[in-house]
Amino acid sequence: DAKTTQPTSMDCAEGRAANLPCNHSTISGNEYVYWYRQIHSQGPQYIIHGLKNNETNEMASLIITEDRKSSTLILPHATLRDTAVYYCIVRVEYNFNKFYFGSGTKLNVKP
Amino acid sequence: DTAVSQTPKYLVTQMGNDKSIKCEQNLGHDTMYWYKQDSKKFLKIMFSYNNKELIINETVPNRFSPKSPDKAHLNLHINSLELGDSAVYFCASSQDTSGRGYNEQFFGPGTRLTVL
């Protein structure tokens, strides 16, 4: 089962940064943190992943604390199309791609 | 071009029937998956196939049988459908075959199964 804790929902104003927290206090040294999102009625979409260092791509930034017990996904300029459920997943390495999705955070981007 | 496609998109059927959902990926990936998303929106992995071989089977009733004729296809056959099988089923694929490192899964659009 998922080993992450996320807030149930968050609101964000359009054009502002959305910061989505995730707690993974039991993460082990070889486990990656992945973020996916699911826009209503669609299949989940990969956003970003990281192990220790902060990561940035064209969609978002991932900030992982030094002790790796928590992370934050940052959408720098949220748009209405970013309204979705965001899943933080700790991937169990060496387990052939087992992904355990938790309940996620419903991000509501408002105009 | 659709990367991961599923058919049908909607499936309404009676209890006790047998049905199949088809999945195809044109990404050249070696690993494919089936997930179930229930009414509470929890997304749970059911099966994973790597190069036509089963590598994950998560306590799924044996009424569910995945079939992989080739590495681009992973179909899901369900026997004796029950009310509790009503859900959205997602197919996915990924390139990573070793279970290590980077693993981006590409999901299909989902199949909404309703059992009456």
Side-chain angles (χ1 to χ4, degrees), chain B residues 6-25:
Chain B
Q6 296 179 227
T7 53
K9 188 170 176 61
Y10 300 96
L11 183 55
V12 181
T13 188
Q14 300 286 332
M15 268 199 314
N17 284 350
D18 303 337
K19 291 293 179 184
S20 292
I21 306 172
K22 296 184 177 181
C23 178
E24 177 181 2
Q25 55 95 2

Side-chain angles (χ1 to χ4, degrees), chain A residues 4-18:
Chain A
T4 62
T5 304
Q6 298 177 252
T8 303
S9 65
M10 293 182 63
D11 291 339
C12 178
E14 188 178 19
R16 304 295 295 269

Side-chain angles (χ1 to χ4, degrees), chain A residues 6 20 33-39 44-50 55-62 73-76 82 84-89 99 105 107, chain B residues 102-105 107:
Chain A
Q6 298 177 252
L20 293 92
V33 179
Y34 282 76
W35 283 83
Y36 278 71
R37 72 180 182 183
Q38 186 174 24
I39 296 171
Q45 174 192 23
Y46 166 84
I47 301 173
I48 199 167
H49 77 287
E55 302 289 343
T56 295
N57 63 20
E58 65 277 5
M59 289 183 68
S61 294
L62 174 61
L73 178 73
I74 301 173
L75 307 179
D82 292 323
V85 177
Y86 287 77
Y87 296 99
C88 169
I89 303 158
F99 262 38
T105 296
L107 175 67
Chain B
Y102 174 54
N103 175 270
E104 176 181 353
Q105 296 188 19
F107 283 78

Side-chain angles (χ1 to χ4, degrees), chain A residues 41-98:
Chain A
S41 297
Q42 297 181 21
Q45 174 192 23
Y46 166 84
I47 301 173
I48 199 167
H49 77 287
L51 182 61
K52 295 180 181 179
N53 300 321
N54 298 337
E55 302 289 343
T56 295
N57 63 20
E58 65 277 5
M59 289 183 68
S61 294
L62 174 61
I63 308 298
I64 302 175
T65 57
E66 193 170 342
D67 62 8
R68 303 209 323 122
K69 293 185 177 182
S70 65
S71 61
T72 301
L73 178 73
I74 301 173
L75 307 179
H77 306 286
T79 70
L80 298 178
R81 289 177 296 178
D82 292 323
T83 293
V85 177
Y86 287 77
Y87 296 99
C88 169
I89 303 158
V90 170
R91 174 170 177 250
V92 181
E93 199 175 21
Y94 305 112
N95 247 332
F96 293 101
N97 311 317
K98 281 194 176 185

